[in-house]
Amino acid sequence: MAVEVAAGRTEAIVSMGGSYWMAVRDDQRRRTVVAGDLAEKRGVFFARTELGAVWATDASLLAQQLGRGPDMALLAAQIAVGSAGHWPDRSLWSGVERVPGGFALILDERGARTVDVRPRSDGRTLEQGAQEVGAALWAAVQGYARTAGPRVSADLSGGLDSSTVVIAAAEISRIVAVTYGGPLADREDERLAREVAAFVGAEHHVSSGGAASAHFARWPCVTPPSPVLPVSSYPLDSDYLPPAHGVSALHLTGHGGDVVLESSTAAWTALVQEGQTRRAKAAVTALARRINTAPGPLWRAVRDSARGRARAMDSAAEAVAQGRLPGDRLGAWSWCSIGPAVQWLTPYGRQAVAQMLADSGSQEGDVHAGDWDDWSALRYNGSALRDSEVLFDAHGVYQVSPFLDNEVVRTCLAIGAGERRQPDRYKPLLALARPDLPTWLTGRRSKGHFTPLLYEGLRDRRPELHKVIDRSELVSCGLIDAAAVHSALDATVAGVGRLPLPALESFLITSWWLARTPALQSAAGSVR
């Protein structure tokens, strides 16, 4: 593979299976090519210095070496408008650039630049691509299981993804499956987890759950490289993971299955962009029927998104600058999700985030909605799994996710977003890819969630969380108004109004993370 890269086929650097870094020195062209995996579980970062570009696989280590602090404007923007891929080449550290998943870094006499090496959809249908997806997924899962040894531990949430991984691994290994249970768990998830465990003969452990496992019930004892969601769910993971400790070197999970098996409703915007208006309209009509609303307004929102990302980002930047919430899109996908958290920004914060959105929209030409959203979600999931590693190490497990391996990503995304997302069918690719899976599993149409645990934690820990707000570096550097976040926390606990749960969780995690980031005290962290 290195020979092919050195011969000029840069895309070959991501063509192997699994998850890996590769650096190739090309003496003939006097260049070095570096890349991680497609999902960005193996991240690559670089910085431009007076002595030339330097790269590393750890952004925080690179920042520490160069005396760089957190990018406060980016952290505020991710809270206010979500962490989708508006800034894929920007790391959380000022002056440290990120090589997005699916890109390679080239270092030569001209300096440092990134090139796109992503595999592309080739127009195949679900039926045409399913067999290859199924083979790739089984190869990835069973490759990890063989590495782990005769016994392997695995998450078994009761959802399609973790259940599929357990069934695949059970063909060659004895499974020790762990499931979150108790009064705050989803009953249907727990029931299906027990059924899957019985189906494969797994040693199955269901935790007792309860209030002590609620989000924010206690903070982690270690600090991850970025403010990832497992910070808030640390008590939940502490509750259900202990039986997996010491079982095997690897712990199997279903993370990432949602991203590669199925696209978001960005697929419908993509169909309009491709001229497949009839298919898009049928999908929108089916959604309108399901949520009991008129299809007309929903269809107009989809057509509006299809007018392009640049226009949408200009509108988003204007709305953020004015602190204005857009009209209700009835659940339709949009290029930039603007919610109540935008109103937490100070006037200075609004201008900073608005400028970032405008800059992001002006940097790209025509953008395919399905591809953009697929890759944004893929990178988010891959980098989150990477940066959560230290947290799960504290729980005694090393998580791996076969769904995010290169060969699985490549075969799934060879099928376009408009194929993988279909009205009234939940993850249709999975049943076609593995017809040997039981129909009582693939016939499931939904998955539970952990929102009750988040509510419980916010309610029980409210006094301490108010203190986190007051001490937040995002407040002290002038980007976010503490009073607005205090009000949002109280309203959320009371169940009043439009609840900004994801943004509130993100703000609290980010504020905790910043307080434990030594570089903030030794480098210029403010964007002023």
Side-chain angles (χ1 to χ4, degrees):
M1 205 58 60
V3 173
E4 293 182 72
V5 176
R9 288 193 56 236
T10 308
E11 69 278 5
I13 202 166
V14 293
S15 62
M16 293 195 302
S19 174
Y20 58 88
W21 288 285
M22 182 180 288
V24 178
R25 175 62 189 171
D26 181 350
D27 289 329
Q28 183 177 355
R29 293 175 174 79
R30 289 186 290 184
R31 68 177 189 173
T32 298
V33 183
V34 187
D37 61 346
L38 294 171
E40 212 177 309
K41 287 190 295 179
R42 309 293 182 211
V44 176
F45 306 88
F46 69 101
R48 306 173 197 274
T49 74
E50 293 179 357
L51 299 178
V54 290
W55 67 274
T57 58
D58 184 333
S60 59
L61 178 61
L62 192 56
Q64 182 181 4
Q65 293 293 319
L66 298 174
R68 309 284 171 82
D71 186 338
M72 303 296 282
L74 179 61
L75 290 167
Q78 289 183 342
I79 292 166
V81 296
S83 57
H86 301 306
W87 308 281
D89 56 355
R90 193 164 172 169
S91 85
L92 293 182
W93 301 90
S94 298
V96 177
E97 298 181 53
R98 166 186 168 193
V99 180
F103 279 69
L105 173 66
I106 296 181
L107 303 165
D108 58 19
E109 58 189 11
R110 291 184 290 168
R113 67 188 187 280
T114 59
V115 295
D116 191 342
V117 293
R118 288 175 292 175
R120 304 290 179 178
S121 166
D122 58 12
R124 67 184 68 179
T125 64
L126 279 180
E127 290 76 10
Q128 291 168 336
Q131 184 176 0
E132 191 175 355
V133 169
L137 178 58
W138 248 236
V141 173
Q142 294 183 351
Y144 283 123
R146 288 189 183 94
T147 300
R151 297 172 76 230
V152 63
S153 65
D155 279 359
L156 182 54
S157 69
L160 294 186
D161 305 331
S162 65
S163 298
T164 298
V165 167
V166 164
I167 290 171
E171 292 182 359
I172 62 170
S173 298
R174 287 178 288 140
I175 306 296
V176 178
V178 289
T179 300
Y180 177 76
L184 297 175
D186 183 271
R187 294 297 96 197
E188 180 61 14
D189 277 359
E190 186 176 329
R191 183 198 66 76
L192 194 61
R194 292 182 186 278
E195 192 166 352
V196 171
F199 178 72
V200 300
E203 177 187 325
H204 191 205
H205 301 267
V206 180
S207 74
S208 57
S213 64
H215 287 38
F216 297 110
R218 65 186 178 95
W219 296 104
C221 57
V222 292
T223 306
S226 72
V228 287
L229 287 176
V231 167
S232 61
S233 62
Y234 191 80
L236 179 155
D237 297 323
S238 298
D239 179 69
Y240 86 95
L241 282 171
H245 179 65
V247 171
S248 55
L250 305 177
H251 179 76
L252 295 170
T253 77
H255 293 320
D258 288 337
V259 178
V260 296
L261 291 175
E262 188 173 43
S263 178
S264 74
T265 53
W268 302 339
T269 296
L271 288 174
V272 177
Q273 290 177 314
E274 296 166 3
Q276 299 190 57
T277 306
R278 181 174 297 178
R279 283 187 63 192
K281 198 163 190 176
V284 169
T285 301
L287 174 62
R289 188 182 304 117
R290 191 158 59 246
I291 64 176
N292 195 28
T293 190
L298 189 58
W299 175 239
R300 285 192 290 274
V302 171
R303 284 194 307 175
D304 183 62
S305 292
R307 295 173 66 182
R309 183 171 184 268
R311 176 183 171 278
M313 297 305 284
D314 281 344
S315 297
E318 181 181 351
V320 170
Q322 298 172 0
R324 170 172 50 83
L325 297 180
D328 187 1
R329 292 176 56 89
L330 302 172
W333 178 85
S334 66
W335 293 98
C336 183
S337 179
I338 299 177
V342 164
Q343 297 177 325
W344 302 351
L345 296 169
T346 63
Y348 167 63
R350 290 200 302 271
Q351 294 305 313
V353 174
Q355 187 61 56
M356 289 172 62
L357 291 171
D359 291 344
S360 175
S362 67
Q363 290 173 0
E364 298 178 275
D366 291 337
V367 182
H368 184 274
D371 289 347
W372 185 86
D373 198 61
D374 279 345
W375 282 95
S376 296
L378 179 66
R379 293 166 184 153
Y380 172 80
N381 277 267
S383 59
L385 188 68
R386 176 193 72 223
D387 288 349
S388 299
E389 184 177 312
V390 65
L391 296 172
F392 287 97
D393 183 61
H395 296 307
V397 299
Y398 181 79
Q399 289 192 320
V400 292
S401 179
F403 281 106
L404 295 179
D405 275 9
N406 276 2
E407 66 270 36
V408 181
V409 171
R410 188 180 299 108
T411 55
C412 287
L413 297 193
I415 304 169
E419 278 289 310
R420 297 190 341 271
R421 178 78 185 205
Q422 299 197 356
D424 298 322
R425 296 176 68 189
Y426 182 55
K427 297 184 181 177
L429 176 55
L430 183 59
L432 287 170
R434 297 303 310 191
D436 50 341
L437 288 171
T439 55
W440 49 260
L441 175 64
T442 56
R444 190 174 184 190
R445 298 173 57 87
S446 63
K447 171 72 171 69
H449 53 78
F450 294 122
T451 303
L453 286 145
L454 178 54
Y455 275 122
E456 183 82 13
L458 293 175
R459 183 166 49 249
D460 287 354
R461 302 283 282 182
R462 178 163 50 160
E464 181 189 345
L465 296 178
H466 276 302
K467 293 178 183 178
V468 172
I469 296 169
D470 284 330
R471 298 168 184 161
S472 176
E473 295 287 348
L474 291 164
V475 171
S476 62
C477 75
L479 287 164
I480 288 183
D481 175 26
V485 189
H486 283 305
S487 296
L489 174 57
D490 288 337
T492 298
V493 169
V496 175
R498 184 179 171 188
L499 305 178
L501 276 173
L504 186 57
E505 185 176 18
S506 178
F507 174 87
L508 293 168
I509 291 171
T510 302
S511 298
W512 173 87
W513 180 79
L514 285 168
R516 293 175 61 93
T517 303
L520 195 61
Q521 283 72 50
S522 60
S526 173
V527 295
R528 285 191 185 276

